Amino acid sequence: MFRTDGHLSQSSGVRLVQQPVTSVKRSRRPGAPASLLCHCRSSIESCCAAGQKWAEENQHCNFMPVISEDLSSVCSVVQKQCCSGALRESRCQAGINAAKAGQACEEGNSSPCGEDSHKDCCSCCALGLLLRREGKDCKAHRYLSYPCGHVFLACCEDGEEGLSPPTLKKKERPEPTATPKRVSDSQFPKQALSVGEVDPGANSLEDLEHEDRCQRFGAICHHACISTHESYLCVCHPGYTLLQDARTCVPENQEEDNRVSEEDQVVTVPPAQQETFTETPVLHYPCADNGPCAQRCSAVRGLAHCSCFPGYFLMVDGHTCEDLNECVTNTHTCQADERCVNTIGSFMCQRRISCSRGYQERNGVCEDIDECVVRTHNCGTGFECQNTDGSFTCNPKQRCLTGFTQDSHGNCLDIDECSSVSEPCTSGFNCINTVGSYTCQRKIIVCSRGYHSSPDGARCVDVDECQTSTHRCGQGQICHNLPGSYRCDCQTGYQYDSIRKLCVDVNECWRYPGRLCAQTCENTPGSYQCSCTTGFSLAFDGKNCEDLNECDSNPCGQECANIYGSYQCYCRMGYFLKEDGHTCEDIDECSQSIGNLCAFQCVNVPGSYKCACPPHGYTMSPNGRTCEDIDECAIGSHNCSASQTCFNIQGGFRCLSFTCPENYKKVSDTRCERLNCPNFQQCQTMPLRITYYQLSFQTNIVIPAQIFRIGPSPAYSGDNVIISIPQGNEEGYFSTRKLNSFTGAVYLHRQVHEPRDFLIDVDMKLLRQGTFTTFLARIYVFITPNSM
């Protein structure tokens, strides 16, 4: 065996960790006391009995008569709820019977609220029967809501045979096993793990299902543990109480917790006695199978304490739970505009219906009130009442002629149209009432100068001389109408010349120099106009000047910077501004750069440059300047066949075939070993082992360069090696050197200027204790370009 430089890989193991499941406990508020219903218990019981009887006889809860007038509203709610409860119980029992008979759980006669007690109870009972047939326990009822949990538990435990009394089991002492054999004593001392014959059923689930849980889990209980059917039960010594975690025990009297008694002393029992001692205490868990309680049971000082679910109260017997009517006991949370409706175990709030005037509420619906029938109208003796939606109308029995109206007694009275009718006559006429009608009489009016009568002759209106062009204003003057007259004024920007009796233009720029415009003022007929110099624009007020942003019109080739009254052009990075001050031209960084910008090739682009790599075998590195070799062997982009081995080199790859010569066998992907040796002469000349290696270098390697070392492993004192290159060094690029008596090296001592591939054979003869042994290293040397 000979040694070369290499790496050692180790395999890692995977460990599976099983995590326990954490149970979640839910808390419930206690039920209301029974004393809240004592004042009306007898009346409520009779109302409830009437509701249950109605449900049995009619199979519905509609149109029930109220039997108690003293508590009419309360009794109505009680009857309704007891009737609904009786219907649900009968449908639930029918569903249970259907499940036990093996029938499908189909929907029954559902209530208006959408619940189906027949289907729900049938499904819950069928689930309990299924678990009982499969031999599983019935503890799943604790995760189901009421009443499904009770139906499930009843069907699951129905007909189940009683369990044997609990006993304490001793933990069996494990049988001693044979002393394990040392790994070093085995036939293969370097074998890290040896797997022998194992019982295939040692870890099967069947054994775990019937084993002693107390023995399996060890000290899971605080005091004592009892194995039950498919589970276990923790119990406490006399004088202690089991907590809610079902594992921890605490003294019933907390004052005794700090006292030391003889029972608390530790007694050491010899191992032999520990094996033969068996304790069988008489233990009883008062809440087993929910004890005597109808709903909830909790153990307090060794006794069963019953309580009810929210919405129920405990009866006088201390075991039975009955529905709490929150509407009667005023324990509901309904608002003032809502009414309370009791349900089994809870209540619901319904919004009260508010009817408009003329309507009344009946059975939750607003109905119209017939005022004519109930005689709440106010029609007189001469009128007939006619009902309408939400009101009524009074129709007269005797009709009057046109122009007359009828009073409450049926008499016909004249209508004064002049006061009751809006504008019976047109403007300019007066209204005069007559019997059964009216007449219109024209008005007479006289107006003064500057006024004239209105078209209807009712009033005098002003004459607009400016509108009728009856004024005497001159050209360029403005006529202003006045009440009964008019006035002539000059237009804005003009003034009246009393000599020529004309309106002449006013030069505002001369009259107010430097006060009207910020920069330049120009007079116009009747006004003036402001203007600005180059680089500025007139402001919104028409007087001030603002800087003009010439960059908005894109005068520059690339970037523009506005300055006060002008602008400046500049270029982006990678460009320079030409002499015209507007155009930008690209800078060729590849030709003007002092140093090498790219490792392989620089390519100029508008405004910048980019680096490129050879078209094959390389990819651009993240820095964008250097090139990285592509490992075609790792990414699978080579074209080597299945019988070849891919070897990556700089900028490419090689497909290598490793075959063993005659009389050799292939022991690995890179190693061949000799099969036999016919004579002693061949044993010294034929290599004992042939190993393939691959080396890659660039053309700029510094020579002489040591590229390979070879020697025996392990080496012993007195060893001597002879290194030679029998094949592949015809041009003399390589040489060998003996470093010491047991190590040799291969050197590249001539510069290779162009990429080339070499295959050299390095022969090592080992002289050990007077015997020669030959080893052959067949080395592929790949020389790649140094352009990167």
Side-chain angles (χ1 to χ4, degrees), residues 100-236:
K100 292 183 178 180
Q103 300 176 4
C105 295
E106 300 178 351
E107 295 183 358
N109 297 326
S110 301
S111 65
C113 296
E115 62 178 350
D116 189 356
S117 57
H118 179 279
K119 181 180 180 181
D120 295 341
C121 294
C122 180
S123 301
C124 297
C125 182
L127 179 61
L129 296 175
L130 177 62
L131 293 185
R132 190 183 70 184
R133 287 194 300 268
E134 294 179 356
K136 298 181 181 179
D137 57 24
C138 303
K139 292 185 179 180
H141 77 280
R142 67 184 68 177
Y143 306 109
L144 303 176
S145 61
Y146 180 82
C148 184
H150 289 278
V151 175
F152 167 87
L153 185 61
C155 294
C156 184
E157 295 181 349
D158 188 15
E160 187 175 2
E161 298 180 358
L163 301 178
S164 59
T167 58
L168 293 179
K169 297 183 179 180
K170 292 193 304 178
K171 184 176 182 181
E172 298 179 0
R173 171 174 295 208
E175 295 295 335
T177 58
T179 304
K181 187 178 182 180
R182 290 187 303 171
V183 175
S184 58
D185 296 338
S186 64
Q187 183 180 359
F188 304 99
K190 292 187 178 181
Q191 183 175 354
L193 178 63
S194 177
V195 180
E197 295 183 357
V198 182
D199 182 11
N203 294 326
S204 62
L205 294 178
E206 288 77 10
D207 294 339
L208 295 178
E209 290 183 357
H210 303 288
E211 69 176 351
D212 188 347
R213 262 63 175 185
C214 297
Q215 180 179 354
R216 176 188 176 192
F217 294 105
I220 191 173
C221 297
H222 190 185
H223 280 182
C225 176
I226 298 176
S227 295
T228 62
H229 180 64
E230 298 184 347
S231 184
Y232 64 92
L233 177 67
C234 294
V235 295
C236 300

Side-chain angles (χ1 to χ4, degrees), residues 543-558:
K543 296 180 180 181
N544 295 310
C545 293
E546 296 178 347
D547 176 53
L548 178 64
N549 190 352
E550 296 85 356
C551 296
D552 292 340
S553 59
N554 299 322
C556 301
Q558 287 187 355

Side-chain angles (χ1 to χ4, degrees), residues 192-380:
L193 178 63
S194 177
V195 180
E197 295 183 357
V198 182
D199 182 11
N203 294 326
S204 62
L205 294 178
E206 288 77 10
D207 294 339
L208 295 178
E209 290 183 357
H210 303 288
E211 69 176 351
D212 188 347
R213 262 63 175 185
C214 297
Q215 180 179 354
R216 176 188 176 192
F217 294 105
I220 191 173
C221 297
H222 190 185
H223 280 182
C225 176
I226 298 176
S227 295
T228 62
H229 180 64
E230 298 184 347
S231 184
Y232 64 92
L233 177 67
C234 294
V235 295
C236 300
H237 297 322
Y240 288 81
T241 302
L242 189 68
L243 294 181
Q244 293 183 357
D245 60 358
R247 295 176 56 189
T248 309
C249 299
V250 296
E252 294 182 356
N253 188 358
Q254 297 296 331
E255 296 179 357
E256 299 177 358
D257 192 21
N258 296 327
R259 294 187 298 175
V260 179
S261 62
E262 294 180 359
E263 287 80 4
D264 297 330
Q265 297 178 1
V266 179
V267 179
T268 304
V269 182
Q273 297 181 10
Q274 290 180 2
E275 294 178 0
T276 59
F277 177 78
T278 301
E279 181 182 4
T280 309
V282 179
L283 302 173
H284 174 69
Y285 184 54
C287 285
D289 297 331
N290 210 37
C293 301
Q295 291 187 357
R296 296 193 302 187
C297 179
S298 59
V300 179
R301 299 183 181 273
L303 300 177
H305 176 72
C306 298
S307 59
C308 300
F309 296 141
Y312 296 84
F313 66 91
L314 193 64
M315 299 291 289
V316 180
D317 57 7
H319 307 296
T320 309
C321 294
E322 194 160 309
D323 175 58
L324 173 65
N325 192 333
E326 294 85 355
C327 302
V328 176
T329 60
N330 201 23
T331 57
H332 59 85
T333 58
C334 297
Q335 304 296 327
D337 58 343
E338 298 175 334
R339 67 187 186 93
C340 176
V341 179
N342 185 58
T343 60
I344 300 299
S346 183
F347 65 94
M348 62 179 181
C349 299
Q350 294 182 350
R351 184 174 297 276
R352 297 182 182 274
I353 299 177
S354 178
C355 298
S356 304
R357 184 176 180 180
Y359 295 88
Q360 62 182 357
E361 188 269 335
R362 178 174 297 172
N363 297 328
V365 180
C366 292
E367 296 182 353
D368 174 58
I369 300 175
D370 192 343
E371 293 84 357
C372 301
V373 175
V374 299
R375 298 184 180 277
T376 58
H377 60 86
N378 56 359
C379 297

Side-chain angles (χ1 to χ4, degrees), residues 630-656:
I630 298 176
D631 191 347
E632 294 84 358
C633 300
I635 65 176
S637 61
H638 59 84
N639 57 358
C640 298
S641 63
S643 61
Q644 294 178 327
T645 301
C646 178
F647 179 73
N648 183 66
I649 62 174
Q650 288 290 332
F653 63 94
R654 295 291 185 270
C655 296
L656 306 178

Side-chain angles (χ1 to χ4, degrees), residues 12-41:
S12 60
V14 180
R15 183 177 59 183
L16 180 62
V17 180
Q18 181 179 2
Q19 297 181 351
V21 179
T22 305
S23 61
V24 180
K25 297 185 178 180
R26 301 179 179 176
S27 61
R28 298 188 177 95
R29 62 180 180 87
S35 60
L36 295 178
L37 300 177
C38 291
H39 64 284
C40 57
R41 179 176 181 86

